[in-house]
């Protein structure tokens, strides 16, 4: 009999898992809270691990690549002066620049018409059994049904409903970085900069980073430190950012970017939280992606880890075709060293994006200069 898996969340981790399970002969069903598929999104640097996972899932070749030629990054000071710094996408070892929607579009091509996808549907109860799990689903119209699955995969993001239902409340697993972020596409180029230019306007506890993309508007990433990120996440992003960055406009760069935020509903505004769990599975329920580990935007590895998680799960199920418990154990053993490695440096990496004091601000400027000079030296030596 064909084994069935319910995947909660039509994001990068969820679609990657669906493709991988389908390759192993499973029948995946995906449910998604939103009424339709999301598109667009913010800049993502796809690192080698993500590229390799996308290739293994069969979607790398159809993924749109948006890395501009001759990228230049600038550190813009409060007085408007600018200094060239190392390319931030290369700093994260990410030669491929994409939009989040580019990855999701490529993954969608691997499941469209082949996987049952139900929009406007959420889980409201999960009863974990020894061999299967019963899930009560609720549609947008309020209709409820109960279905049985051999495996339930929670790939529904950092504030996962599956995690709350089966493992416990958010606060048991959240590890705050003490920062907020807001990412969105700019509606126009930054005045005074060339196409393909990226920039950082950095001050103590607040930063704007602009990531360039080929053929699409640049992504603006506002980030700032706060003592109460959860409270801040419930505020209005536009008015909050205007207040936080009020005296850091630098020739209109900040205010014009916020004018663009006011005209779009395609934005992410949230607190930055790592998720740490001693186990990612319980019975026939598994968490994957941000719901299980959330490497945060600062890591540069979130999307890559989501695709890798789907790939590794498929490989684990192939290695243990009649032993789901063994497959889930193998999945954790293979993924945990990778996740642990990248979570270890997130707090430090956050200082590169949002320095917490003047020493950190000075240190990051020196570091970017050193990285730029070392790359220029290596380039000259290679030619």
């Amino acid at each position: 009999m064909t084994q069935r898996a319910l995947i909660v969340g039509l994001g990068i981790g969820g679609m990657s898992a669906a493709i991988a399970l389908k390759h192993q002969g499973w029948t995946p069903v995906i449910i998604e809270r939103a009424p339709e598929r999301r598109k667009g999104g913010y800049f993502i640097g796809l690192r080698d691990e993500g590229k390799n996972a996308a290739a293994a899932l069969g979607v790398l070749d159809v993924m749109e690549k948006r890395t501009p030629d001759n990228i230049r990054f600038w550190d813009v000071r409060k007085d408007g002066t600018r200094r060239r710094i190392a390319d931030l996408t290369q700093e994260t070892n990410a030669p491929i620049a994409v939009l989040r929607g580019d990855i999701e579009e490529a993954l969608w091509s691997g499941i469209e018409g082949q996987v049952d996808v139900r929009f406007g549907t959420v889980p409201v109860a999960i009863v974990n059994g020894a061999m299967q799990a019963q899930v009560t689903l609720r549609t947008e119209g309020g209709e409820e049904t109960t279905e049985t699955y051999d495996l339930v995969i929670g790939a529904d993001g950092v504030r996962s409903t599956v995690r709350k239902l089966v493992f416990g409340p958010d606060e048991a697993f959240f590890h705050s970085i003490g920062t907020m972020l807001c990412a969105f596409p700019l509606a126009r180029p930054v005045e005074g900069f060339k196409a393909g230019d990226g920039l950082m306007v950095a001050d103590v506890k607040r930063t704007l980073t602009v990531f360039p993309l080929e053929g699409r508007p640049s992504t603006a990433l506002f980030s700032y430190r706060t003592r109460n990120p959860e409270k801040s996440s419930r505020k209005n992003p536009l008015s909050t950012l205007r207040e936080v960055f009020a005296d850091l406009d630098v020739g209109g760069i900040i205010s014009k970017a916020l004018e663009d935020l006011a005209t779009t509903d395609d934005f992410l505004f949230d607190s930055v939280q790592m998720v740490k769990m001693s186990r990612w599975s319980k019975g026939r329920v598994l968490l994957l992606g941000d719901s299980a580990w959330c490497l945060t935007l600062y890591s540069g590895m979130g999307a890559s880890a989501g695709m890798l998680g789907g790939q590794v799960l498929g490989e684990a199920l192939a290695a243990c075709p009649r032993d789901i418990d063994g497959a889930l154990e193998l999945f954790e053993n293979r993924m945990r060293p990778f996740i642990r490695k990248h979570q270890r440096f997130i707090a430090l990496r956050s200082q590169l994006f949002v320095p917490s004091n003047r020493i950190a601000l000075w240190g990051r400027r020196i570091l970017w200069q050193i990285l730029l000079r070392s790359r220029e030296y290596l380039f000259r030596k290679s030619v």
Side-chain angles (χ1 to χ4, degrees):
M1 182 180 295
T2 302
Q3 292 174 299
R4 299 173 73 238
L6 176 68
I7 300 173
V8 183
L10 188 69
I12 291 172
M15 286 192 280
S16 298
I19 291 172
L21 265 65
K22 188 173 172 295
H23 287 169
Q24 302 307 323
W26 282 62
T27 299
V29 174
I30 302 179
I31 61 171
E32 165 59 42
R33 178 185 298 274
E36 59 185 10
R37 193 162 63 86
R38 292 179 292 267
K39 299 181 181 180
Y42 49 85
F43 166 95
I44 286 176
L46 199 60
R47 301 176 66 173
D48 289 343
E49 296 88 344
K51 289 184 289 180
N52 294 338
L57 294 168
V59 301
L60 181 61
D61 290 343
V62 299
M63 191 181 297
E64 189 77 38
K65 319 306 193 292
R66 303 187 186 276
T67 307
D69 294 329
N70 303 316
I71 296 177
R72 298 184 307 171
F73 253 90
W74 300 94
D75 181 22
V76 183
R77 308 294 176 88
K78 271 179 128 177
D79 61 3
T81 60
R82 64 181 75 170
R83 178 171 290 188
R84 181 89 181 273
I85 60 174
D87 170 14
L88 302 190
T89 63
Q90 296 301 315
E91 186 277 328
T92 56
N93 187 28
I96 294 182
V98 297
L99 288 172
R100 185 175 189 86
D102 295 328
I103 301 177
E104 293 182 344
E105 187 70 31
L107 292 167
W108 177 253
S109 72
I111 65 170
E112 186 179 14
Q114 305 173 56
V115 172
D116 180 8
V117 179
R118 308 175 192 174
F119 292 98
T121 305
V122 296
V124 293
I126 300 175
V127 179
N128 224 337
M131 302 301 292
Q132 293 179 314
Q134 285 190 330
V135 187
T136 301
L137 306 175
R138 180 182 295 158
T139 66
E140 212 168 25
E143 180 183 350
E144 291 190 3
T145 58
T146 299
E147 302 177 7
T148 301
Y149 292 90
D150 299 290
L151 183 63
V152 175
I153 300 171
D156 48 342
V158 64
R159 300 178 189 278
S160 167
T161 298
V162 175
R163 191 181 63 229
K164 290 186 185 77
L165 291 173
V166 177
F167 295 86
D170 289 345
E171 51 267 27
F173 310 109
F174 276 4
H175 289 255
S176 177
I177 308 301
T179 63
M180 292 288 300
L181 61 81
C182 183
F184 59 94
L186 292 174
R188 54 197 161 173
V190 179
E191 188 175 332
F193 291 83
K194 295 181 180 179
D197 280 358
L199 63 95
M200 294 188 79
V201 179
D203 193 22
V204 176
K205 298 184 180 180
R206 52 187 180 164
T207 304
L208 165 63
T209 308
V210 175
F211 293 98
L213 292 159
E214 181 66 35
R216 291 294 294 268
S218 298
T219 289
L221 171 64
F222 282 90
S223 195
Y224 66 94
R225 293 188 179 271
T226 176
R227 291 182 178 180
N228 195 336
E230 283 301 282
K231 181 180 178 181
S232 296
S233 67
R234 295 188 289 271
K235 294 182 178 180
N236 177 273
L238 183 59
S239 59
T240 300
L241 291 172
R242 280 176 171 161
E243 179 181 348
V244 171
F245 288 82
D247 60 341
L248 191 65
D249 200 10
V250 191
I253 291 175
I254 300 291
S255 57
K256 288 177 182 177
L258 292 178
E259 287 174 8
D260 292 350
L261 173 60
T263 64
T264 182
D265 57 3
D266 181 16
F267 65 86
L268 169 69
F269 180 68
D270 205 351
S271 58
V272 181
Q273 307 279 359
M274 275 192 294
V275 174
K276 292 187 177 181
M277 305 182 69
S278 59
R279 290 283 298 177
W280 295 328
S281 64
K282 182 182 288 188
R284 286 295 181 264
V285 179
L286 170 71
L287 299 176
L288 186 148
D290 284 352
S291 62
W293 51 69
C294 194
L295 293 177
T296 82
L297 188 146
Y298 299 138
S299 74
M301 286 299 302
S304 294
M307 285 189 287
L308 182 62
Q311 175 201 344
V312 171
L313 177 60
E315 293 171 350
L317 290 169
C320 308
R322 289 174 294 277
D323 180 10
I324 295 179
D325 290 334
L328 298 183
E329 188 73 25
L330 181 60
F331 169 79
E332 294 220 12
N333 289 340
R334 289 184 177 177
M335 284 298 297
R336 277 200 178 274
F338 175 84
I339 298 302
R340 197 178 296 119
K341 169 188 171 183
H342 288 284
Q343 283 189 334
R344 189 178 300 133
F345 297 104
I346 288 173
L348 177 61
R349 289 182 60 81
S350 75
Q351 294 288 344
L352 297 177
F353 284 91
V354 202
S356 59
N357 52 51
R358 296 210 168 273
I359 293 175
L361 177 64
W362 176 83
R364 61 170 288 287
R365 285 174 173 165
I366 296 298
L367 177 60
W368 290 133
Q369 286 294 306
I370 292 172
L371 287 172
L372 177 63
R373 299 292 174 254
S374 65
R375 284 179 191 152
E376 289 175 341
Y377 170 76
L378 291 173
F379 176 77
R380 289 194 301 267
K381 193 173 181 180
S382 66
V383 296

